[in-house]
Each structure stands twice: as structure tokens, then as C-alpha cells.
Amino acid sequence: MEFQYSKKIDPNVYETDGLGYGIPLRMHKDQGEEIKGTLRAQRDWTKYVQPVHGYHGNLGDPYSFLCVTVPECLPDRLELISYANEYAFLYDDWMETFDLKHDSSETTGFLETFGAGALDSKIDPKARPEKRLQAQLLSEMMAKDPKRAITTMKAWARFVQSAAKTRSAPFETLDEYMPARAVDAGELIWFGTLTFGMALTIPDHELDLCMKLARPAYVALGLANDLYSWEKERSAAIRAGQDYVFNAIWVIMKERSIDEEEAKEVCREETIKAISTYCHTLEETRNDFSLSRDLRAYLEAVLLSYIGNLVWSIYCPRYRDF
């Protein structure tokens, strides 16, 4: 992959807690666009859905989420994907307040934002406020890149519906949990973010292969994220009255009857195992010219997303101040 919009960060100035696997961290050169998109999303959510108080999403110092997870985003799309991702964080935090074990009219209405009308960019003034914001977002994306906007929103809709089902019941084993965590970590939504942000097109005949090749990276990304989001998610589960936490630490503790620190060590080991597998896969595909250029670029981008997400998770206010 050619690097045009990002700079490599000196590995001596950030921590990876032993999970970096030697992967270089890169950061987009225009952090201002991420700040602009993030704050716009927060203002819109406050105005139309509910006030944002004591909340942290994309932004961090010195590492903000999109700048380190999509460092090669096209400059004119960074503000838009930052808005989209901040919306996703706000939506996800609100979804954590629902008891997904039991359907309710509020839960159903909330999830309908990404239901059958997810690809309708017409703004219905009678729709739920979060649905109106989603339609507005789709309209802006369509104006920029119609084909990839549709691909992104389809992936996002599948993600939300799948994540809601995935989180509705606890997992008994880590082997059951990891594939579900890959989906919840954003295997679908992140496919849309990367392809839209970097203007990539994965040919239809490569889509299944793309998902298969990238799966270990999403498992690693999800497990690493679980390590740092554990306290926040446990707290959210308690507030929602849930008797389980959708997090690898909880699953490992229950499955193996071990304490929290032991479970975290198992999670670290599984993270390294998954990212090691992915790096090996990437070495094999990097110069495989039977694969499309955009598929190879996507797989490289996912690797940068892993290290970016890891470093952001370690430093971000989202998981440190909640």
C-alpha cells in the first residue's frame, strides 16, 4: 500500500502492552477533520435525540479513533466517516442501556433505525430522531459516493441487527464467542468504513474470500478491545440490569472458573494468536496478484486498523473516563 495521507508514529512514544506484534502505527495528517465530524455528530445527537453528558467517543489525545484506524482515508471523506463513527458510538452506548434479552417497544423501535428502511435517504419528519440522523448521514454519503454509500449502509444495517441478536444471550465458551465478537467488533460496519473512506471496491466474486481472510484480524481487534473496554461494559451491564457482559473477559471467567486477571491473560494470549494468524495470511496474499488490488489494499488497511484500535483503546477517554 502506498501511504499518501498518513505519517508513521515513533514506536517509542506509545504503548501496546505487548499486543502490537511489531505492526507500525500510522496516523492521518489531518486530525482537524475528525474533530470536526465528531463534534458535529455530538451536536446533532444532543439536538435531536438526547443530550450528550459525560460521554467520550472518537476523540483522544494524542490519538483519535479514525485518524489511527483509517490513516489512509481520503482527506475529503474523513469528516464524514468521523461523523458516522461517532454516531455509531452514540448508538452503541444507547443500545447498551436496553435489556436485549427481552423485546420491548422501545428496543424494537430503536433497532428499526437500521431495519427495512436503512437505505432510504429521504428524511421523514415523523420518524424517530436517530432514524432521521441516519437518513441524513446516508444522504451525505450518497452525495459523495453513491455506490459505496449503499454498500456501507447495507453492511451497517446487517451489523446492527446481527449485534442485537448476538448480545441478547450470554456465550458459554470462548470458541462460541470469538466469531460473534468478530461481527460485533465491526467486521461488517468496518468493511463499509474502510471501503467508503478509502474508495475501495471489492469485486462481488471476492467478497466471501475477503471476509474469510480478514476474520482473524477482526477476532484479534475484538479481543484486544475487550481488554480495555471491560470495565466500561461491565458497568453498563450492571446499570441495564443484565446478568452477563458481552465481553471475552466475562466469558473466559465463567468458562474456566478463573479470576479477572487470569481471564485477561488468556484474552491477551488469544489476541496474539489471532493477529499472528492474520499476519501470516497477509504475507501470503500481499504479492498474490490473482487478487484484486483493492482486496489487497483492504487487507493491509485492516492490519492498520488493528494496531490503531489497540493504541487508541489504551489511551482513549472512552475506556478510561466513564
Side-chain angles (χ1 to χ4, degrees), residues 27-45:
M27 186 162 68
H28 203 284
K29 296 175 183 177
D30 194 356
Q31 193 172 16
E33 286 298 296
E34 177 167 6
I35 294 171
K36 188 191 305 182
T38 297
L39 295 182
R40 181 165 72 94
Q42 291 184 16
R43 286 195 301 271
D44 285 353
W45 192 271

Side-chain angles (χ1 to χ4, degrees), residues 55-56 88-100 107 110-111 163-164 167 181 184 225-226 229-242 244-247 318-319 322:
Y55 161 84
H56 299 289
F89 275 146
L90 287 159
Y91 189 92
D92 189 64
D93 279 4
W94 200 6
M95 191 160 70
E96 284 181 349
T97 68
F98 293 120
D99 181 0
L100 295 174
T107 303
F110 185 69
L111 294 176
R167 298 183 193 186
R181 186 63 178 100
D184 197 81
N225 188 262
D226 281 358
S229 64
W230 163 244
E231 282 79 11
K232 177 181 182 295
E233 290 169 358
R234 178 176 55 185
S235 177
I238 291 170
R239 289 196 304 272
Q242 294 178 349
Y244 65 96
V245 186
F246 185 77
N247 186 292
R318 182 170 175 80
Y319 299 147
F322 58 89

Side-chain angles (χ1 to χ4, degrees), residues 169-284:
F171 286 84
E172 302 295 329
T173 70
L174 189 62
D175 285 344
E176 293 173 347
Y177 173 81
M178 286 193 291
R181 186 63 178 100
V183 173
D184 197 81
E187 183 179 55
L188 295 170
I189 191 174
W190 204 245
F191 174 84
T193 299
L194 289 177
T195 54
F196 182 86
M198 297 174 64
L200 301 174
T201 299
I202 309 301
D204 289 345
H205 71 274
E206 288 186 331
L207 283 173
D208 288 344
L209 177 63
C210 176
M211 293 298 176
K212 178 182 177 181
L213 292 174
R215 172 60 64 91
Y218 284 111
V219 170
L221 191 153
L223 293 177
N225 188 262
D226 281 358
L227 280 167
Y228 300 99
S229 64
W230 163 244
E231 282 79 11
K232 177 181 182 295
E233 290 169 358
R234 178 176 55 185
S235 177
I238 291 170
R239 289 196 304 272
Q242 294 178 349
D243 56 2
Y244 65 96
V245 186
F246 185 77
N247 186 292
I249 308 304
W250 188 91
V251 175
I252 295 166
M253 289 171 64
K254 297 297 181 182
E255 179 187 8
R256 306 193 186 190
S257 299
I258 57 180
D259 65 25
E260 183 176 319
E261 289 308 311
E262 291 173 310
K264 287 182 177 180
E265 186 55 38
V266 172
C267 190
R268 289 187 186 94
E269 292 170 0
E270 292 295 333
T271 300
I272 287 294
K273 190 184 300 182
I275 198 60
S276 172
T277 297
Y278 186 67
C279 287
H280 180 70
T281 296
L282 201 56
E283 284 301 315
E284 293 180 341

